[in-house]
Amino acid sequence: MPPDEIFDAAMRRFLEGRRVDMRSLAVELGMGRATLYRRAGSRDQLLGEVLWQLTRRSLQRAVKDAEGRRGADRIVAVIGNFLAGVIEQPSLRHFLAAEPEAALRILTSKRGVVQPGVRAHLEGLLQEEIAAGAFIPRMDVRTLAFVLVRIGESFLYADAIADGEPDVEQALQVIGRLLDDQP
C-alpha cells in the first residue's frame, strides 16, 4: 500500500475522472518521479490499490444489501449487487472508456490486487454458505469462485472486451444456472 498522501491524491484524481499520471502526480505532491515510483510502485500498482479500495467498499455494500438471504440466492444477490454497483461507478466507467487496455490489465490480472481480492472474497462467501449448510457446491470452491469472477468480468467489462454493453442481468442468469440444481 502506498503512503497515504500518494494514495489519497491518486484516489482523488481517479474519482474526479482525471488521468492518474505519475508525472503530474509527482509535481502535485512536490516530489520527483523517481521518489514517487520508489514510494508508490508503478502506475499499475498505484491504480490497482485505488481500484481495490473502491472494490472492497462495493463488496461490503453488496454483502450488506443481501442480508437475510441464504445459499445460492445470497451468492447471486451479492454478485448482482456488486456488479450493479460497479456499473454505477462513473469514474470506473470513465477509466474503462479512456484506457480500456490498462483498465482490463489492472482489474482482471491475477498478478494485480483486484481480481485475486474479489476471488478471495467470493471464496469466503461460498465457504460461509457451505458452513451454514445452505449451499453445496458442484465443484471445488476455489474453481467455482474463479469461474464466477470471470463470468462477472466478461459481462461487466463487455464494452471493453467485446464491443458489447455491460449486462448484469445476463451475468446473473448464467451464474444462477451454474449455482442451481444442487446435488
Side-chain angles (χ1 to χ4, degrees), residues 25 38 79 126:
L25 190 59
R38 189 171 52 256
I79 293 169
L126 292 166

Side-chain angles (χ1 to χ4, degrees), residues 146-163:
F146 175 78
V147 169
L148 295 174
V149 168
R150 286 302 193 188
I151 290 169
E153 289 171 344
S154 297
F155 286 98
L156 184 60
Y157 307 133
D159 49 346
I161 294 171
D163 226 12

